[in-house]
Amino acid sequence: MNIFLIPYTWSRHLQFGIWSALCSLIAWWFYLLVLTQGGMVWSSGWDAFVTNALLCSAVVFANIWGEGALRRWSMRRRLWKLALGVGISMGITLLVTWSWAGLSLMFLEDIGSVHHVVALKYRWGNFMGTGVGVAIGVMSTEKWRGQPKTFVLNYLLGGLFAGLTAGALWSISAYYWVQNLYWAGAILFVSFGFSFGWSTRSTPDDLYVGWIRVLSGNRFGHRIPIDAKEKLPKERFVGAYPNGLDLFFPVESFVQPLHASVVHNPTKNTYTLRGLTQYHLKMVRMLEWAKLNYDPQSPVPMEVNLSNEDRVELGEGVQVEFLILPREER
Amino acid sequence: MWWVFLLACSGTTVVPIPDTTARIDVVAEVNQRQSELALKIMTTPEECEYIVGGLDDPLSRKEYEDCLPWIDRQAGEVKLGVRFELDDQFFQLPDLNDHVSVSLNDRQVVDGAAESDVRVIGHDPVRIKQVFLLLIDGSGSMNIRDAGSSKTRMDKVRDALLMRSVQEAFFPDGVTNHVIVYTFTSGTPQPLGGQLTILSNKQTYKSHIQEHLKARSGYTHLYDAVDYGLNTVLAKSDVQTLLDGQTKPTIVLLTDGFNNEASNDTCTSNVPRLQRLLTGIRKEMDDLSVDTPLIFTVGLGRPLSKRFNPKRVKQGRLTDRTLCGGQSYNALIDAPGKTGGLEDVFIDNISLELIADRGKGRAFVERDAKGLGEAFKEVAAIRYQWFEIMFRDNALKFRREFNVGLQLNNYARAVSNVNVYPHAWMDGPHGKKDAEGWSTRGTIWHSASILTSGLGVLIFLLVFGAAVFNGKRLVLGRLHKKRSVESKNA
């Protein structure tokens, strides 16, 4: 995963899902290779554990390695976290696999204890266990301080969702869609990876920062970040002062000395455009616009929340845009 | 650490089936009480490598893959390689198609049904000793010279029998075969040369045929000739001494017409006669052993019914409609004049097909000496070292472990069964269908193609958001500076 290839759009929410699906697909092929090319050295009683453990490992790897790539962790840190996450998830999977086998033996018909029966009824415990194993494995490598209250719940529900989705799709494809376990196996791995990555993680917002970028005149392409460090608010000013302002324009363009400012509230992670002049100041986005000329009758300046790619008109003929780009962008 | 656990718990009584995700018992259970021959199911690569004698060339490699077990759960098909042993020695058997029954979880797999089927293919053929009994039509019609030919029908038969390749087929190197020749018309068939002569080499065979093979006159007692050959000639003490339990008696019947016993015979009159003969042959064949005869038939001329299939005629249900092959039920076989009768135009390939089918042989219809020669070459008996047994059934029956039972129905008793343990989560790649619609062994390359195309799609999706974002900005002109009005005018 590469933060420069993930724009701050809806697609950033799918990146971990797709990345996890990709790693799961590779794991499926590797597993198939082992199974079909004589590598099946364990007894059939271990089939459920081996399948689930491999799936766990692939998805935990995808999530930890993906975040490590985005945050530029050192190799040592990545490997340490991987070992911890994979170890915990496999341990939980082992526990759940045999617990489920015991429960099946007690509460399901005799057939439930047979390792070779293809039926969701006898397997959904394994799927859910895999989901919980991955959730706890990934969660255990995260920093817990400062996380929202829903942190644990989000992971556990995401894991259960992934397990049940993958189980349902596996069963439906095995018995209805493709009616074979070859494609159903691939669907199982890919759908589990995608469901877990999509439901539990998004590309972290703290890796992005707002920018003001000039769209007109000789200063086209010039841009400044509104980067608030250490969670402090940040305000950057746009006007005609060549010195002292964060972004300035020629006075001939009727941009006032102190025309507008953009404020970043790190607590809510919002960006606000504030009008500081009576001259022309307009925010434009698709099917929507807002005039922010300063009203002398009002005790406070006009403000509007900015979204990615909003356009702002200042004075006559000057346009800037608001962009949210990776913090690493320079 | 996990692998140590897994290895410690793995059993050695089952082995993975190559190219699949299933396992199979290493040793199939041979039912000793019900078996005269040991039916051994080959489950391991080592056994298959041993039986094909190494994997040095592509042909051996192909045989090796045919020998290995294979399961295609999507198609509901299973394939097993089997061999037969007697006192721990290989025991060769002839083509076992229709002689093996397969059961799945103790329920018989119906052969040739809509949902289920069984196919048996012999591998590694070997020649065995044979006694050939040639029953050649010596009736008056064999003296006829067909249009466009300077030779009589009997001349064509003689030429075919004297072809070098046919002599090689009857007397191959390394195997001691014998040939007995009879001709038949009306009444009892007569040995060629007037007395029973057992021909044991090419020289005596050649001179005997050249000297004595001539057409006589009279009707064609075809069915009686088969019955006589089967029950009288083969029972003669001279012949019995040749049948030492390792020699296959092989009857080859050659005719140019119909069974014709009287001047007013029609195809309808042959129905009860043929029925009687087929019943007699069946009785002989029900007690199949190594020295049970095979019956081949060779017709010289134009077939009465080109598309006749003997398998469609149920046992004991022979009718005049079947035997007359679309001709009038009352049409005379031998009408007065030269072209009035059925045998002036056709040969009775229907009778020949039915006799060969009951006699576990094959029927041939040829028009010239070359074709006859090819037919004679085919009658040399072949036995196989091992067999590939395939069956298909409802695919849902393979969604848990299952037991496959194999039983040899003829030749000798042999019963065996093996358990197959499929993976509960995944399957290997399915095979392609061969010309007859059976699944062939799949390869891992198919899954590699899924992997690469899947990775392609997912990588595309990974960069799709960035591509759309930048594409939209390009279209909206935010990536490049617009040219000003002044610069345009300039």
Side-chain angles (χ1 to χ4, degrees):
Chain A
M1 292 183 81
N2 186 334
I3 191 69
F4 290 111
L5 290 175
I6 309 173
Y8 194 81
T9 60
W10 54 267
S11 68
R12 75 184 192 282
H13 300 298
L14 298 177
Q15 291 292 313
F16 266 98
I18 298 168
W19 173 242
S20 299
L22 191 145
C23 292
S24 304
L25 182 67
I26 294 171
W28 165 78
W29 191 73
F30 170 74
Y31 189 36
L32 201 65
L33 205 63
V34 171
L35 291 178
T36 59
Q37 303 305 307
M40 201 161 37
V41 291
W42 56 90
S43 73
S44 55
W46 287 91
D47 279 352
F49 168 69
V50 175
T51 310
N52 297 340
L54 189 74
L55 185 52
C56 262
S57 308
V59 178
V60 169
F61 168 85
N63 282 271
I64 293 175
W65 200 267
E67 185 165 3
L70 292 178
R71 292 189 184 280
R72 313 285 187 208
W73 287 344
S74 67
M75 190 57 71
R76 189 176 168 184
R77 190 177 180 192
R78 289 184 206 190
L79 292 176
W80 182 85
K81 281 189 179 249
L82 258 181
L84 180 69
V86 169
I88 289 175
S89 66
M90 284 176 79
I92 291 169
T93 306
L94 181 69
L95 192 72
V96 171
T97 304
W98 290 111
S99 305
W100 176 251
L103 287 172
S104 304
L105 211 59
M106 282 191 284
F107 298 111
L108 299 173
E109 309 93 286
D110 288 346
I111 196 175
S113 61
V114 178
H115 308 302
H116 314 282
V117 180
V118 183
L120 184 59
K121 182 180 174 183
Y122 306 117
R123 303 279 166 245
W124 64 268
N126 295 113
F127 285 112
M128 288 177 63
T130 309
V132 171
V134 174
I136 296 176
V138 175
M139 196 164 54
S140 59
T141 63
E142 297 260 356
K143 274 186 185 169
W144 285 55
R145 187 180 294 170
Q147 295 288 2
K149 289 175 186 172
T150 55
F151 171 68
V152 174
L153 194 65
N154 172 51
Y155 268 112
L156 288 178
L157 287 178
L160 290 174
F161 169 73
L164 290 177
T165 304
L169 290 176
W170 170 76
S171 182
I172 291 168
S173 51
Y175 279 96
Y176 299 100
W177 289 342
V178 288
Q179 299 191 358
N180 66 64
L181 285 166
Y182 175 46
W183 282 96
I187 290 169
L188 158 66
F189 273 66
V190 171
S191 63
F192 184 89
F194 181 80
S195 308
F196 184 83
W198 174 68
S199 62
T200 56
R201 299 171 77 89
S202 176
T203 310
D205 278 354
D206 61 312
L207 295 177
Y208 294 93
V209 71
W211 295 72
I212 303 166
R213 181 171 176 269
V214 181
L215 285 179
S216 59
N218 292 332
R219 306 205 71 199
F220 178 88
H222 187 78
R223 64 191 182 183
I224 55 163
I226 310 147
D227 46 345
K229 286 182 181 172
E230 297 175 1
K231 305 272 180 187
L232 293 174
K234 179 92 174 184
E235 183 167 14
R236 303 205 75 169
F237 295 90
V238 179
Y241 277 129
N243 296 319
L245 281 188
D246 300 304
L247 186 62
F248 66 90
F249 293 95
V251 71
E252 300 83 36
S253 56
F254 294 97
V255 174
Q256 296 305 297
L258 202 59
H259 207 110
S261 73
V262 179
V263 184
H264 179 213
N265 180 349
T267 313
K268 295 180 181 174
N269 197 27
T270 56
Y271 293 86
T272 310
L273 176 66
R274 186 176 283 170
L276 301 177
T277 175
Q278 292 182 48
Y279 283 82
H280 182 68
L281 178 63
K282 189 178 177 185
M283 187 283 296
V284 183
R285 68 170 70 118
M286 184 175 277
L287 304 177
E288 213 177 335
W289 54 266
K291 281 199 162 186
L292 301 172
N293 304 22
Y294 180 68
D295 179 2
Q297 305 296 321
S298 168
V300 291
M302 305 282 272
E303 290 182 347
V304 66
N305 277 344
L306 287 173
S307 302
N308 197 16
E309 294 194 277
D310 283 351
R311 245 176 343 112
V312 180
E313 295 173 4
L314 304 100
E316 288 186 9
V318 172
Q319 280 193 9
V320 296
E321 67 173 338
F322 175 73
L323 275 177
I324 297 179
L325 296 173
R327 192 182 286 274
E328 289 181 20
E329 192 91 44
R330 280 289 178 268
Chain B
M1 187 178 73
W2 302 114
W3 298 105
V4 175
F5 273 120
L6 298 180
L7 285 168
C9 294
S10 65
T12 52
T13 55
V14 294
V15 283
I17 299 178
D19 301 318
T20 75
T21 61
R23 298 172 178 87
I24 189 167
D25 285 339
V26 172
V27 181
E29 189 187 339
V30 176
N31 190 325
Q32 301 286 1
R33 248 190 268 169
Q34 295 181 28
S35 300
E36 294 166 341
L37 293 175
L39 197 168
K40 300 272 179 147
I41 300 173
M42 292 175 285
T43 56
T44 62
E46 292 76 23
E47 282 179 286
C48 287
E49 194 174 339
Y50 173 71
I51 204 158
V52 300
L55 306 173
D56 304 330
D57 54 292
L59 191 64
S60 300
R61 185 82 205 163
K62 167 80 173 54
E63 289 277 293
Y64 170 75
E65 288 184 355
D66 289 342
C67 167
L68 288 172
W70 161 249
I71 163 173
D72 184 340
R73 285 203 280 181
Q74 185 183 26
E77 289 177 16
V78 175
K79 187 192 72 160
L80 297 167
V82 303
R83 66 177 193 272
F84 296 89
E85 286 183 5
L86 183 64
D87 300 331
D88 294 330
Q89 297 292 317
F90 279 96
F91 192 89
Q92 298 90 7
L93 284 172
D95 183 9
L96 291 182
N97 228 346
D98 300 331
H99 297 299
V100 173
S101 57
V102 179
S103 65
L104 182 62
N105 294 327
D106 294 330
R107 291 197 169 195
Q108 178 141 3
V109 177
V110 182
D111 191 5
E115 196 178 47
S116 60
D117 204 359
V118 179
R119 183 168 79 161
V120 183
I121 298 173
H123 285 265
D124 201 358
V126 287
R127 296 290 289 269
I128 56 158
K129 287 195 287 182
Q130 283 177 282
V131 172
F132 293 101
L133 171 57
L134 307 185
L135 296 171
I136 298 172
D137 186 349
S139 63
S141 60
M142 292 296 280
N143 281 318
I144 294 173
R145 283 187 172 80
D146 292 314
S149 173
S150 59
K151 292 185 173 178
T152 65
R153 292 174 183 176
M154 189 56 95
D155 291 338
K156 290 178 186 174
V157 173
R158 192 183 303 106
D159 289 349
L161 289 173
L162 293 175
M163 284 170 69
R164 185 181 292 271
S165 57
V166 174
Q167 291 183 50
E168 291 291 336
F170 285 155
F171 300 103
D173 293 336
V175 180
T176 310
N177 282 353
H178 303 279
V179 176
I180 301 164
V181 188
Y182 272 70
T183 56
F184 62 91
T185 57
S186 310
T188 307
Q190 295 297 312
L192 200 65
Q195 59 182 8
L196 178 64
T197 309
I198 296 171
L199 307 168
S200 302
N201 56 58
K202 290 176 198 167
Q203 287 73 29
T204 52
Y205 165 83
K206 195 174 167 185
S207 60
H208 195 69
I209 295 286
Q210 279 173 335
E211 192 177 335
H212 300 293
L213 187 60
K214 292 179 183 119
R216 292 180 283 150
S217 60
Y219 290 109
T220 312
H221 288 210
L222 183 78
Y223 303 156
D224 290 345
V226 176
D227 186 56
Y228 183 82
L230 202 57
N231 296 310
T232 308
V233 180
L234 292 182
K236 285 179 187 286
S237 58
D238 290 350
V239 179
Q240 281 296 310
T241 54
L242 302 174
L243 304 175
D244 53 2
Q246 299 289 318
T247 305
K248 191 77 182 165
T250 306
I251 296 175
V252 184
L253 174 74
L254 187 137
T255 183
D256 69 335
F258 284 68
N259 183 65
N260 184 20
E261 299 178 12
S263 61
N264 58 351
D265 272 359
T266 60
C267 55
T268 307
S269 19
N270 275 339
V271 172
R273 297 169 184 162
L274 181 59
Q275 187 65 65
R276 208 163 36 244
L277 175 69
L278 295 178
T279 307
I281 295 175
R282 177 167 287 280
K283 276 181 188 164
E284 287 282 330
M285 297 302 167
D286 279 348
D287 183 30
L288 277 176
S289 60
V290 176
D291 51 8
T292 303
L294 287 171
I295 304 176
F296 290 83
T297 57
V298 184
L300 180 61
R302 183 177 159 196
L304 179 64
S305 173
K306 280 184 183 173
R307 292 178 184 170
F308 176 71
N309 180 1
K311 302 282 182 205
R312 290 187 186 158
V313 181
K314 289 181 184 168
Q315 190 186 344
R317 293 279 184 87
L318 185 64
T319 61
D320 43 11
R321 186 179 174 185
T322 305
L323 198 56
C324 292
Q327 301 296 320
S328 166
Y329 300 168
N330 299 320
L332 290 170
I333 290 172
D334 184 17
K338 281 197 172 179
T339 56
L342 286 174
E343 74 172 0
D344 293 320
V345 186
F346 303 109
I347 60 158
D348 183 8
N349 70 302
I350 296 171
S351 290
L352 298 183
E353 293 265 13
L354 286 167
I355 292 167
D357 181 57
R358 292 291 188 273
K360 314 292 182 190
R362 273 188 64 192
F364 306 89
V365 176
E366 305 293 345
R367 288 195 172 194
D368 53 18
K370 193 179 171 190
L372 287 174
E374 292 298 315
F376 285 131
K377 278 196 308 188
E378 291 264 332
V379 304
I382 289 173
R383 294 200 162 208
Y384 300 93
Q385 292 274 20
W386 62 275
F387 297 87
E388 189 186 340
I389 299 178
M390 287 172 266
F391 70 92
R392 72 163 66 98
D393 208 325
N394 186 330
L396 291 177
K397 291 182 182 172
F398 301 94
R399 295 282 170 105
R400 59 170 302 179
E401 77 279 17
F402 55 89
N403 179 273
V404 179
L406 301 176
Q407 182 173 337
L408 181 64
N409 296 325
N410 292 318
Y411 300 104
R413 288 197 303 274
V415 182
S416 191
N417 71 83
V418 69
N419 291 308
V420 180
Y421 310 93
H423 201 274
W425 309 76
M426 288 172 59
D427 252 350
H430 309 300
K432 287 180 181 171
K433 298 283 181 189
D434 66 11
E436 293 177 37
W438 289 85
S439 178
T440 56
R441 186 170 294 276
T443 67
I444 198 69
W445 296 114
H446 186 264
S447 63
S449 70
I450 294 177
L451 175 75
T452 48
S453 51
L455 289 181
V457 170
L458 290 169
I459 290 170
F460 171 76
L461 290 175
L462 276 176
V463 298
F464 181 68
V468 169
F469 180 71
N470 286 313
K472 190 179 85 176
R473 288 174 58 74
L474 185 69
V475 170
L476 293 176
R478 294 197 185 181
L479 292 185
H480 298 290
K481 187 178 176 183
K482 285 177 185 167
R483 292 173 67 192
S484 64
V485 178
E486 292 82 7
S487 63
K488 275 183 191 172
N489 291 338

